[in-house]
Amino acid sequence: MRIHVVDHPLVAHKLTTLRDKRTDSPTFRRLADELVTLLAYEATRDVRTEQVDIETPVTATTGVRLSHPRPMVVPILRAGLGMLDGMVRLLPTAEVGFLGMIRDEETLQASTYATRMPEDLSGRQVYVLDPMLATGGTLVAAIRELIARGADDVTALCLLAAPQGVELMERELAGAPVTVVTSSVDERLNEQGYIVPGLGDAGDRMYGAAG
């Protein structure tokens, strides 16, 4: 597994405002959207392309376009939805699937409650969206599901990561074709499984504490 921490002043600037507890939900959603687009730029450096011949107004030339099968973007519900627009803005021809997962707050184990994506992902590059790589259980379960369906190149985009989550993924997904792109690997997890210093519950801060 590879992990790529995006080191850019605009990323750091937007992340600082996201961390601030005074940032309201509309501002949080907007900044998360902008930050995801910056992360997506780095995450798609190895997106697969093919050559194509075109005619410019001046002459014939050769360029590139995204190859088939098209990449797939899979947000993990519900907080991953807040990252979707920022990702497809940069990759508008990608297909979109959905994966609903919930974490037991006592055991911290993730379980799947809904899926909407092809049964066969053979040959697909898949981009998974999950704001927080905390304990790592949710992302490990999600990526195993994608690989079981045939995905051969999985990139997870996370606003933040914790060392414990990174370590779990490296251990549980050893040898798997997985990359994690994030804006920061923070200090640690607290007793409740939240990233420290972190930014709180990303879903609650995007949408409010519903349910």
Side-chain angles (χ1 to χ4, degrees):
M1 192 192 84
R2 296 189 303 139
I3 182 158
H4 177 43
V5 179
V6 179
D7 181 16
H8 192 285
L10 286 179
V11 170
H13 167 74
K14 294 177 190 300
L15 179 59
T16 298
T17 307
L18 287 175
R19 291 187 191 275
D20 192 333
K21 67 180 183 180
R22 298 170 298 179
T23 300
D24 60 22
S25 288
T27 305
F28 191 97
R29 286 195 298 270
R30 176 177 58 80
L31 287 172
D33 178 79
E34 294 171 359
L35 181 54
V36 169
T37 299
L38 294 173
L39 296 180
Y41 181 81
E42 294 294 330
T44 55
R45 282 188 178 275
D46 295 324
V47 69
R48 294 168 186 162
T49 60
E50 60 189 17
Q51 285 193 344
V52 58
D53 295 326
I54 62 169
E55 294 278 348
T56 78
V58 178
T59 188
T61 189
T62 300
V64 298
R65 65 184 175 193
L66 296 185
S67 58
H68 288 271
R70 288 182 290 171
M72 172 159 283
V73 177
V74 180
I76 297 179
L77 306 178
R78 71 177 166 145
L81 280 176
M83 303 173 68
L84 181 57
D85 286 349
M87 184 70 189
V88 298
R89 181 179 299 115
L90 198 68
L91 205 61
T93 60
E95 295 182 358
V96 178
F98 296 94
L99 188 56
M101 307 196 76
I102 190 167
R103 186 179 75 163
D104 186 302
E105 295 303 326
E106 292 185 2
T107 66
L108 303 182
Q109 297 300 307
S111 59
T112 302
Y113 65 86
T115 58
R116 182 70 175 177
M117 55 187 175
E119 288 296 327
D120 185 6
L121 294 174
S122 299
R124 288 286 188 103
Q125 287 181 293
V126 181
Y127 297 89
V128 185
L129 310 180
D130 193 12
M132 313 300 283
L133 172 51
T135 63
T138 298
L139 263 181
V140 166
I143 291 171
R144 281 177 171 163
E145 173 74 20
L146 296 169
I147 291 174
R149 293 179 183 232
D152 65 358
D153 187 340
V154 180
T155 300
L157 278 75
C158 306
L159 302 181
L160 288 180
Q164 293 92 328
V166 173
E167 290 167 7
L168 181 77
M169 290 188 67
E170 288 176 335
R171 183 170 67 251
E172 297 295 325
L173 299 171
V178 177
T179 301
V180 175
V181 177
T182 185
S183 58
S184 175
V185 177
D186 276 9
E187 297 172 11
R188 58 185 173 87
L189 294 178
N190 64 15
E191 294 76 9
Q192 291 75 42
Y194 284 95
I195 298 175
V196 179
L199 48 75
D201 186 299
D204 286 353
R205 295 201 63 194
M206 284 181 186
Y207 304 117

